[in-house]
Amino acid sequence: MSVSAESAVEARTDRLVRLLDDRELDCLLVTNLVNVRYLTGFTGTNGACVLSREERLFLTDFRYVEQAGGQVRGYERVEAGRDMLGDLAKRLHGRAGFEDNHVTVEAHRKLGEKVAEGVELVPAGGLIEGLREVKDELELGAIRAAAAIADEAYGQLRARGLVGRTEREVALSLMRALEDRRAGPSFPAIVAGGEHGALPHATPRDAEIPANTLVVVDLGAQVDGYCSDCTRTFATGQLDDVALEAYELVRRAQEEALASVRGGASCPNVDAVARDIIEAAGHGEHFGHGLGHGVGLEVHEAPRLGKTAEGELRAGNVVTVEPGVYLPGAVGVRIEDLVVVTDGEPEVLTSCPKELVTVS
Amino acid sequence: MSVSAESAVEARTDRLVRLLDDRELDCLLVTNLVNVRYLTGFTGTNGACVLSREERLFLTDFRYVEQAGGQVRGYERVEAGRDMLGDLAKRLHGRAGFEDNHVTVEAHRKLGEKVAEGVELVPAGGLIEGLREVKDELELGAIRAAAAIADEAYGQLRARGLVGRTEREVALSLMRALEDRRAGPSFPAIVAGGEHGALPHATPRDAEIPANTLVVVDLGAQVDGYCSDCTRTFATGQLDDVALEAYELVRRAQEEALASVRGGASCPNVDAVARDIIEAAGHGEHFGHGLGHGVGLEVHEAPRLGKTAEGELRAGNVVTVEPGVYLPGAVGVRIEDLVVVTDGEPEVLTSCPKELVTVS
């Protein structure tokens, strides 16, 4: 990691430590590995932090000591047992925050038994998730790179064709296109043709993709832990009016909603821009999911764009805008862009065309 | 799923319901998705069960209703909101068990607020994990298939060679060998040459694998959700005495420990068989992990073979036997078989050779 990258990561812990005062916490236990990675850069499967104004401790077990030596900066590194609860409990003092949205009831009970007398375990989940909502430049760089790689995979798909290939085969070749570019997938790719496209979370089948239908393709790449997320719906030839109208409806809803994305926009209102258009066309019941979600170290994170979402978008959020219309027994359409929220026009990270593209 | 497969899955819930009486539970809430899959066959990312002697309910959201219709048998299927806690809370009654090893402190608090008056939330984690320790024939079939596919990938690796390829390239071609056989990986493959092999959980690097060293390769396949797990350590040419001795030591420890695996054997004692041999050779401190672990829907599950493990092996357990010796700055050796515990000799699912194989 470069010096500037290191200091970008260290600045996250600085911001977090300042939040401890607001919560009147003497220290914070961080056990959610995604949050541990955010704070330290650690990518192993067992690690935790204990933070206070005075101390920044990172604990891991035997297997990851050497790896942590290379990855974790700005923290005192401590080797712990594989079940680290006891070692962690010993480091807590005073009003000790813990991630109540991650620590299980059982782990909480054990922690409570192991902490020193007078230590109070205080629910403090979501502090780091809150910081993660606004991405720094290091994070944006990784997400832009991931989105660009997924775009290339889509380009390869358009060149290679769809008709006669199985959904599974297409999904696999998309994953391999990512791997060839040294990226992982952020989730298993979705390739769903015809009526199978009416399942929003379809698993690719061994069925051959027919001509003259719609195919929903949902793909994300992962670079340095950061995800991208993009959906396109392709035609495989001539479409009937139902499919054409569904496509144009979703495209219009997507573009209108996208235009409303900016810092200060209310999350439910952005959702409503797309939802109102789809409802007005009589397809409200066919759009059963939210408009979008934050993307970062997790492919689904805060903020959320949906009917029951709360709060406002802020500059530096990275969100998807992905309305869909799913017609059971017929076809599905979803169009999804990934965007960086700014105080003006959003920065759209997805460069694939949105007009209907025929891939036969 | 065939009729016999369906009834095998349904028998799991029958066994579980009988355990509720022992715990004086009126119902059980199952939210750990691995356990939900074990009971119902459901493979989506949002689903839960509520079980009692009278009722078997399966809840999922909009996105998975159609998929659940195809997968979930023997349960009444209910569509719930995406955040299912409220819908689940309403279904609980009396002494309601919940998975305290999975439910977070926050979710537990919310459940408590939403249940009807008089409902008591009772920690009941581990009940299903206990059942999962002893595999049924359907499970053994999937694990055998996964192990056979990983063996084929190892065969391809031996044919293809190692020297001059990067660790990353070899790892990727192993993963692709699994995919070509319609299996997923049970974890990202480990390929670690030379001194990098001294990290038990090394991530494949872009470094070319040199001649005349050892390379640790750890690979698992996944079939129908069930994992396999196999490690082999290959020579890439002439080895020095340190490497040769480490290899032969680990092989001897592995074979002796394997011979001690059977129903009724104590888990720490099986670990001790290998550990005593490695300690007697002066390498105790270089074997920093446990001897093995259960494998099933998760690649690490109960029972555990280790110094601090408890209990005994039982016929129907599927466990790894994988001693290792890691010499910092020099080489690492690990040899791992996957075996089914029986009341006699274990059924070894790994068919790769264990004598030192040179792959140049």
Side-chain angles (χ1 to χ4, degrees):
Chain A
M1 212 186 287
S2 69
V3 173
S4 64
E6 264 180 37
S7 60
V9 173
E10 287 187 37
R12 298 173 195 165
T13 303
D14 295 339
R15 281 195 291 276
L16 177 59
V17 166
R18 285 194 291 271
L19 295 179
L20 299 189
D21 276 334
D22 306 344
R23 301 285 189 109
E24 298 179 352
L25 295 174
D26 295 303
C27 62
L28 179 67
L29 170 62
V30 184
T31 51
N32 179 342
L33 275 172
V34 179
N35 290 339
V36 170
R37 181 174 188 164
Y38 177 74
L39 295 175
T40 67
F42 178 69
T43 60
T45 64
N46 196 24
C49 305
V50 178
L51 299 168
S52 66
R53 273 162 299 280
E54 297 75 34
E55 256 185 338
R56 298 179 179 193
L57 300 175
F58 170 82
L59 287 84
T60 188
D61 72 54
F62 158 82
R63 297 169 297 163
Y64 294 111
V65 166
E66 188 163 336
Q67 176 180 333
Q71 292 182 323
V72 179
R73 296 272 178 268
Y75 278 75
E76 182 186 335
R77 296 187 302 276
V78 180
E79 180 175 339
R82 195 140 161 181
D83 174 2
M84 303 197 298
L85 274 184
D87 291 298
L88 292 168
K90 269 187 275 175
R91 310 281 174 162
L92 301 180
H93 54 92
R95 275 177 54 86
F98 71 98
E99 298 177 286
D100 61 318
N101 56 351
H102 181 259
V103 172
T104 66
V105 171
E106 183 186 46
H108 178 254
R109 179 180 55 74
K110 288 182 182 169
L111 268 180
E113 290 165 4
K114 289 171 200 278
V115 292
E117 192 139 0
V119 173
E120 184 189 355
L121 293 174
V122 181
L127 280 181
I128 302 169
E129 288 84 343
L131 294 178
R132 282 170 46 200
E133 288 185 37
V134 175
K135 270 65 181 176
D136 59 37
E137 273 305 317
L138 192 66
E139 298 183 283
L140 291 176
I143 297 171
R144 285 187 191 110
I149 286 173
D151 282 350
E152 288 179 29
Y154 272 103
Q156 207 174 70
L157 172 109
R158 290 193 300 271
R160 180 86 186 277
L162 283 169
V163 176
R165 301 173 74 194
T166 68
E167 293 176 356
R168 206 182 116 82
E169 194 187 324
V170 173
L172 209 56
S173 69
L174 285 167
M175 307 295 257
R176 290 186 177 186
L178 302 184
E179 284 171 359
D180 289 340
R181 290 162 178 82
R182 315 176 62 78
S186 32
F187 54 87
I190 294 172
V191 178
E195 61 183 61
H196 197 220
L199 302 182
H201 272 232
T203 305
R205 302 167 302 172
D206 286 311
E208 283 188 9
I209 295 168
N212 305 325
T213 190
L214 287 172
V215 182
V216 178
V217 180
D218 194 348
L219 179 74
Q222 200 171 24
V223 170
D224 291 342
Y226 284 86
C227 300
S228 78
D229 195 357
C230 169
T231 306
R232 285 295 181 266
T233 302
F234 299 100
T236 59
Q238 294 291 321
L239 298 182
D240 62 22
D241 287 348
V242 170
L244 278 174
E245 280 163 25
Y247 191 91
E248 286 309 318
L249 175 63
V250 172
R251 180 158 86 115
R252 188 156 53 89
Q254 203 274 345
E255 288 179 348
E256 293 289 329
L258 188 59
S260 76
V261 165
R262 68 183 59 219
S266 124
C267 293
N269 288 359
V270 174
D271 175 89
V273 171
R275 197 166 302 279
D276 288 351
I277 292 171
I278 290 172
E279 282 177 358
H283 284 300
E285 66 184 311
H286 299 133
F287 176 27
H289 57 73
L291 179 69
H293 52 84
V295 174
L297 285 169
E298 293 178 285
V299 71
H300 289 108
E301 56 180 52
R304 198 164 60 77
L305 299 174
K307 252 194 297 200
T308 60
E310 287 169 4
E312 295 178 353
L313 289 172
R314 281 184 289 167
N317 291 158
V318 173
V319 296
T320 67
V321 179
E322 50 171 317
V325 163
Y326 308 95
L327 304 173
V331 293
V333 179
R334 185 167 64 252
I335 301 175
E336 174 186 32
D337 282 338
L338 185 65
V339 307
V340 184
V341 180
T342 75
D343 288 322
E345 302 257 301
E347 176 192 348
V348 180
L349 301 183
T350 313
S351 67
C352 299
K354 266 188 291 206
E355 62 273 26
L356 184 60
V357 173
T358 301
V359 180
S360 49
Chain B
M1 213 189 283
S2 68
V3 173
S4 65
E6 264 180 37
S7 60
V9 172
E10 288 187 36
R12 298 173 195 164
T13 304
D14 296 339
R15 280 195 291 276
L16 177 59
V17 166
R18 285 195 291 272
L19 295 178
L20 299 188
D21 276 334
D22 305 345
R23 299 286 190 110
E24 298 178 353
L25 295 173
D26 296 303
C27 62
L28 179 68
L29 169 63
V30 184
T31 50
N32 179 341
L33 275 171
V34 178
N35 290 339
V36 170
R37 179 173 190 165
Y38 176 74
L39 295 175
T40 68
F42 177 71
T43 60
T45 63
N46 196 23
C49 305
V50 178
L51 298 168
S52 66
R53 272 162 301 280
E54 297 76 32
E55 257 185 339
R56 296 178 183 194
L57 300 175
F58 170 82
L59 288 84
T60 189
D61 72 56
F62 159 81
R63 297 170 297 163
Y64 294 110
V65 166
E66 187 164 337
Q67 176 180 333
Q71 292 183 324
V72 178
R73 296 271 178 269
Y75 278 75
E76 183 187 335
R77 295 187 302 275
V78 181
E79 181 174 338
R82 193 136 161 185
D83 175 2
M84 302 196 299
L85 274 184
D87 291 296
L88 291 168
K90 271 188 274 176
R91 310 280 175 162
L92 302 180
H93 54 94
R95 277 177 53 87
F98 71 98
E99 297 177 287
D100 61 317
N101 56 351
H102 181 260
V103 172
T104 66
V105 170
E106 183 186 46
H108 178 254
R109 178 180 55 74
K110 289 183 182 167
L111 268 179
E113 289 165 4
K114 289 170 200 278
V115 292
E117 190 139 3
V119 173
E120 183 189 355
L121 293 173
V122 181
L127 279 181
I128 303 170
E129 288 85 342
L131 293 177
R132 284 171 43 200
E133 288 186 36
V134 175
K135 270 68 182 173
D136 59 36
E137 274 305 318
L138 192 67
E139 299 183 280
L140 291 177
I143 297 171
R144 286 187 191 109
I149 286 173
D151 282 351
E152 288 178 30
Y154 273 103
Q156 208 173 67
L157 172 104
R158 290 192 300 270
R160 179 90 185 274
L162 283 169
V163 177
R165 301 174 72 195
T166 68
E167 292 177 357
R168 207 184 113 84
E169 192 187 327
V170 173
L172 208 56
S173 70
L174 285 167
M175 307 295 259
R176 291 187 176 186
L178 302 184
E179 284 171 359
D180 289 339
R181 290 163 178 82
R182 314 177 59 78
S186 30
F187 54 86
I190 294 171
V191 177
E195 60 183 61
H196 197 219
L199 303 183
H201 273 232
T203 305
R205 302 167 302 172
D206 286 311
E208 283 188 11
I209 296 169
N212 305 323
T213 189
L214 286 172
V215 181
V216 178
V217 180
D218 194 347
L219 178 74
Q222 200 171 24
V223 170
D224 291 341
Y226 284 85
C227 300
S228 78
D229 195 357
C230 169
T231 306
R232 287 295 182 266
T233 302
F234 299 101
T236 59
Q238 292 292 322
L239 298 181
D240 61 23
D241 288 348
V242 171
L244 279 174
E245 280 163 24
Y247 191 90
E248 286 310 319
L249 174 63
V250 172
R251 179 157 87 115
R252 188 155 55 88
Q254 202 274 345
E255 288 179 347
E256 293 289 327
L258 188 59
S260 76
V261 166
R262 67 183 59 219
S266 123
C267 293
N269 287 0
V270 173
D271 175 88
V273 171
R275 198 166 301 278
D276 288 350
I277 292 170
I278 291 171
E279 282 178 357
H283 285 298
E285 66 183 310
H286 299 133
F287 176 26
H289 57 73
L291 179 69
H293 52 83
V295 174
L297 285 170
E298 293 177 286
V299 70
H300 289 108
E301 56 180 51
R304 199 164 61 76
L305 299 174
K307 252 194 296 198
T308 60
E310 286 170 4
E312 293 179 353
L313 289 173
R314 282 182 289 167
N317 291 158
V318 173
V319 295
T320 67
V321 179
E322 50 173 317
V325 164
Y326 308 95
L327 304 173
V331 292
V333 178
R334 184 167 64 253
I335 302 174
E336 174 186 33
D337 283 337
L338 184 65
V339 306
V340 183
V341 179
T342 75
D343 288 324
E345 302 257 299
E347 176 192 349
V348 179
L349 301 183
T350 313
S351 68
C352 300
K354 267 189 292 210
E355 62 271 26
L356 184 60
V357 173
T358 300
V359 179
S360 50

